[in-house]
Amino acid sequence: MNNRLVQKARRAVSLGRNALLRPWQSLQWQRQWPFVKRKLRLLVVREEAMGDVLLTTPIVRAIRRRHPDAHLTFATSWRGEEVLAGNPDIDEIVVNRTRLTGRRFDRTFELWYEYDPEMHILDAYAKSAGVILTDKQPILTLDRGHRAWAERVFQENGLREDDLIIGVHTQATWKNRIWPLANFRATLEHFAARYNARIIEFGTDPDNAVGLDVNLINQGDIKQTAAVLERCSLLLCVDSLLLHVAGAVGTPAVAIFGPVLPHTRLPLDGLSVGVGLTGLPCFGCHHRSPIPAFRTDCAQPRILCMEDLPPRMVIEAVETLAAQTHKPSLTVVGG
C-alpha cells in the first residue's frame, strides 16, 4: 500500500513539473519557426583593405535601416576595425573571422566589388548585398579627442582657417598607382610660391615623402588624420585610402588615376575630381583584368600613366577645384 501511495505521489509531482515546464518548452520550440518574432542575427564581411572597408559603411547603413532591430556583426581585419570603431549601425566588430566558428547568423552579406570592376565600388557593394543606396556618404566616426589632436596640429604649426591648406598623400599599396615624388614636389612648390599655400603631408613611409612644410607621416591614427584632413582646403592624392577618408569628412580632393578608372573610385559628393592620361590605350587597365579583378601589376615596360602625367595637368585641376571650393578666394602672392 505504501509503495502505491509513493508511486502516485511521484506521478503527481511529475505531472505538476511538466505543467510548469510546458509553456517554456513551447516557447523554445516556437523560436525555431520563422513566424515568431525575434532579433535577427546579421553578419557583414569585408576584411581588407582600410579604404574598401570604409566604403562598406553606406551598405551597412542601408542594411540597418531595413532591419533596425537586428543584431549586426561585422567581420573584418584589425585595420578594418580601426575604421569601423564607433559606427552607430554596427553592434559588434569581430577581428579574424575564425572567431565566428560555431555561431549562426540568419543572413551573411559578403561584400565584393571585384566581380563588377566597371561599377563604382559603392554600387558593386550594394549589388552584392541586394540593397538600394539612397545615401552614399561613408561614415567615419570622429570624437572630441580626434578633433583636439587636429587642433594641436594647427596651433603648433601656425595654421589658420583662411589659409589655403593642401593635404597631400603620395603613397599607395599598388606601385603602379604612385605618381613620381618630383612631380608632387613641383606641384606643391607652385602653390606654396604662388598662393602662399600651407602643405600637410600624410602617410606611413618616411622614405617616400615630399618633405615640405608640415610633416605628419607616421603621426596619428587614421581618425586623427581624418580630423586634420577635415580642416584642409583640399587633398591632393593618388587613388588610396585618404581619398575615401576625404569623401567621408567632406574635404574636396584631386586624385591622380592611372590603372583604375576615376568614376569607379571618386567620392560621390561632387567635391572631387580625377586627373589622368585618359588618352593612353592602357589607361584603366585594371578593369580589363580577369574577373574577379585583383591584378595590381603593370603590363607595360614602365608605368606610363603615372610617369608621363605632367605636373601642369595636376596644377590646373587643383587651381580649378580650389577656386570653386576655397573661401576666401584664392589670392596670388604679390598680385
Side-chain angles (χ1 to χ4, degrees):
M1 181 67 68
N2 290 339
N3 288 339
R4 293 175 63 181
L5 289 175
V6 169
Q7 290 174 357
K8 287 182 179 182
R10 288 176 175 173
R11 180 174 175 77
V13 169
S14 177
L15 290 173
R17 181 189 62 196
N18 290 341
L20 291 173
L21 290 177
R22 192 171 294 116
W24 171 251
Q25 292 170 337
S26 176
L27 179 60
Q28 292 291 92
W29 175 81
Q30 289 176 11
R31 286 181 175 175
Q32 302 174 21
W33 298 90
F35 56 79
V36 176
K37 290 184 179 181
R38 64 173 176 80
K39 181 171 284 193
L40 289 174
R41 296 180 294 268
L42 305 179
L43 175 64
V44 179
V45 181
R46 180 73 198 193
E47 297 185 80
E48 298 288 353
M50 291 182 78
D52 295 343
V53 172
L54 176 59
L55 290 182
T56 67
T57 54
I59 312 302
V60 173
R61 180 171 51 225
I63 294 171
R64 170 60 70 198
R65 288 175 178 173
R66 180 181 291 183
H67 304 288
D69 299 322
H71 182 89
L72 196 152
T73 300
F74 199 116
T76 187
S77 64
W78 66 270
R79 299 299 301 274
E81 181 184 31
E82 187 177 355
V83 171
L84 297 174
N87 188 302
D89 298 315
I90 300 174
D91 296 301
E92 176 187 16
I93 301 172
V94 175
V95 176
N96 189 344
R97 194 175 177 180
T98 60
R99 296 179 180 178
L100 296 173
T101 302
R103 291 180 57 177
R104 295 184 179 182
F105 294 91
D106 296 293
R107 185 170 179 186
T108 297
F109 300 88
E110 297 263 7
L111 299 184
W112 296 95
Y113 64 85
E114 290 84 356
Y115 292 93
D116 294 283
E118 296 297 326
M119 300 176 69
H120 192 282
I121 288 182
L122 287 176
D123 295 325
Y125 279 157
K127 178 182 175 181
S128 68
V131 299
I132 297 175
L133 289 181
T134 57
D135 184 355
K136 297 184 178 183
Q137 178 72 21
I139 297 174
L140 188 63
T141 306
L142 306 182
D143 60 28
R144 287 183 295 179
H146 302 130
R147 292 190 168 99
W149 192 86
E151 177 62 24
R152 286 195 296 274
V153 169
F154 269 62
Q155 290 183 359
E156 291 172 1
N157 292 280
L159 297 165
R160 300 175 303 173
E161 297 296 335
D162 58 351
D163 288 336
L164 174 62
I165 303 174
I166 301 177
V168 59
H169 186 230
T170 66
Q171 303 167 16
T173 53
W174 296 10
K175 182 179 178 181
N176 57 350
R177 288 183 178 183
I178 298 176
W179 199 41
L181 277 179
N183 290 349
F184 267 110
R185 187 173 292 108
T187 300
L188 295 167
E189 286 176 344
H190 166 85
F191 284 94
R194 185 172 176 81
Y195 301 105
N196 200 26
R198 300 298 307 274
I199 312 299
I200 303 178
E201 187 167 9
F202 306 103
T204 57
D205 185 359
D207 295 327
N208 289 285
V210 175
L212 298 175
D213 208 354
V214 182
N215 187 340
L216 293 185
I217 290 180
N218 279 334
Q219 296 188 46
D221 59 29
I222 189 59
K223 292 192 175 182
Q224 290 170 329
T225 296
V228 174
L229 183 54
E230 183 179 44
R231 298 175 62 171
C232 290
S233 306
L234 58 85
L235 171 70
L236 172 60
C237 63
V238 293
D239 174 22
S240 62
L241 165 64
L242 283 202
L243 173 62
H244 308 309
V245 172
V249 299
T251 297
V254 172
I256 298 167
F257 286 89
V260 174
L261 297 173
H263 75 269
T264 66
R265 297 294 188 274
L266 283 173
L268 298 173
D269 53 12
L271 297 175
S272 300
V273 296
V275 183
L277 294 174
T278 57
L280 285 175
C282 59
F283 187 80
C285 60
H286 173 72
H287 304 276
R288 294 186 287 275
S289 301
I291 295 175
F294 290 114
R295 182 175 180 175
T296 62
D297 60 332
C298 179
Q300 304 300 323
R302 61 187 183 88
I303 307 172
L304 301 173
C305 58
M306 293 287 108
E307 295 177 11
D308 291 353
L309 178 66
R312 169 184 51 80
M313 289 182 62
V314 177
I315 288 171
E316 290 175 358
V318 173
E319 285 184 332
T320 299
L321 186 62
Q324 294 171 350
T325 60
H326 179 63
K327 303 299 180 185
S329 301
L330 291 183
T331 302
V332 177
V333 175

